[in-house]
Amino acid sequence: MSGNIPIMTLDGPAGAGKGTVSRAIANKLGWHYLDSGAIYRSLAVAVLDAGVALDDMDGIVNVANKMDLSFGSGDTPSVMLNGKIITDRITTETCGHITSQIAANGQVRQALLQKQREFCRSPGLVADGRDMGTVVFPEAQYKVFLTASAEERAQRRFKQLKEKGIDVSLIGLAKEIEERDRRDMERSVAPLKMADGAVLVDSSDMSIDDVIAQCLALLEA
Ligand code: C5P
């Protein structure tokens, strides 16, 4: 557990801007940053590489317990799994889709819990995900639920993927995001929901800088 280390959690649906905002806040404060989605996505890649079926939960837990995962630093930190860079592989929406299927299982989530908590180190942590404020760091002092309209989130994700040279259709992407969000909200274990005491920020009509400022204001409140 975190002891006296300050934690800010940002939870919310896909494409709400959590990654950009969390990274900027962590940079500004000089705190560590946890991209929990990248851990879940890396597990999906590890499962595919190991040839384990997506409904073989024991097999998936086994892969989770064995995976050797490390993150680089910088704006687009490289992700290394078992000695190989997988940064591009975890970015695709197909990976997100598979990830949300395996992330619905309680044993799988349990296997990744400690890996996430290890990110909580001095002088502080900004944690981005779906259950950061509810399950992984319920003791966090600053909790945000960041959302935006479904159209806006699909547009942002579309732009993000385009910039990375990944070609997708906006309509297809919107559907995939909707399905992924529904699965994340309806699962029985650690569903996506607002944590007790979290502040709701709807970024639909806000600039990134305004969202960052609103989150940072929590520290002064
Ligand atoms: O945040 P990101 O889009 O990278 O997350 C990919 C998927 O990983 C989510 O749709 C969700 O199913 C799963 N996830 C989760 N809990 C987290 C972070 C991500 O279940 N804390």
Side-chain angles (χ1 to χ4, degrees):
M1 278 295 173
S2 55
N4 289 328
I5 300 170
I7 304 175
M8 179 181 286
T9 58
L10 282 97
D11 291 307
K18 300 185 301 290
T20 312
V21 171
S22 305
R23 217 169 271 134
I25 294 172
N27 272 341
K28 199 158 181 117
L29 298 172
W31 289 7
H32 298 281
Y33 167 56
L34 165 61
D35 178 357
S36 61
I39 296 184
Y40 280 95
R41 284 170 182 263
S42 300
L43 173 59
V45 168
V47 165
L48 293 178
D49 285 0
V52 170
L54 296 182
D55 58 358
D56 174 3
M57 287 307 156
D58 289 343
I60 295 175
V61 169
N62 193 26
V63 172
N65 288 332
K66 281 197 197 139
M67 73 175 176
D68 175 18
L69 189 62
S70 58
F71 294 91
S73 54
D75 272 352
T76 323
S78 56
V79 181
M80 193 181 269
L81 171 73
N82 302 331
K84 284 190 204 140
I85 301 276
I86 57 157
T87 321
D88 289 343
R89 291 181 67 197
I90 65 166
T91 312
T92 64
E93 196 47 42
T94 310
C95 178
H97 186 73
I98 295 170
T99 304
S100 77
Q101 293 175 49
I102 62 178
N105 183 273
Q107 279 170 278
V108 172
R109 304 194 71 82
Q110 187 63 35
L112 296 181
L113 203 53
Q114 193 49 32
K115 277 193 197 340
Q116 297 171 76
R117 290 191 173 145
E118 279 165 12
F119 278 76
C120 183
R121 280 175 283 129
S122 184
L125 175 72
V126 182
D128 145 11
R130 304 292 186 290
D131 62 342
M132 298 295 97
T134 51
V135 175
V136 183
F137 302 109
E139 75 280 25
Q141 300 87 337
Y142 314 105
K143 298 185 185 183
V144 176
F145 192 86
L146 185 60
T147 189
S149 69
E151 298 76 38
E152 184 62 31
R153 292 188 289 109
Q155 285 281 2
R156 285 182 194 168
R157 188 88 182 103
F158 181 70
K159 203 169 148 239
Q160 225 176 34
L161 291 175
K162 265 261 146 80
E163 278 166 9
K164 287 186 174 154
I166 300 174
D167 218 9
V168 285
S169 97
L170 179 60
I171 296 174
L173 185 63
K175 267 200 182 144
E176 286 207 335
I177 289 181
E178 192 192 324
E179 192 185 326
R180 184 148 70 91
D181 286 343
R182 190 169 353 97
R183 195 180 291 124
D184 289 346
M185 286 187 286
E186 289 179 357
R187 67 184 174 215
S188 56
V189 196
L192 168 64
K193 64 172 183 192
M194 232 174 117
D196 283 342
V199 172
L200 176 69
V201 179
D202 184 337
S203 69
S204 306
D205 297 315
M206 287 170 80
S207 71
I208 291 286
D209 284 346
D210 287 346
V211 177
I212 294 168
Q214 193 161 334
C215 295
L216 285 171
L218 292 180
L219 297 168
E220 285 145 29

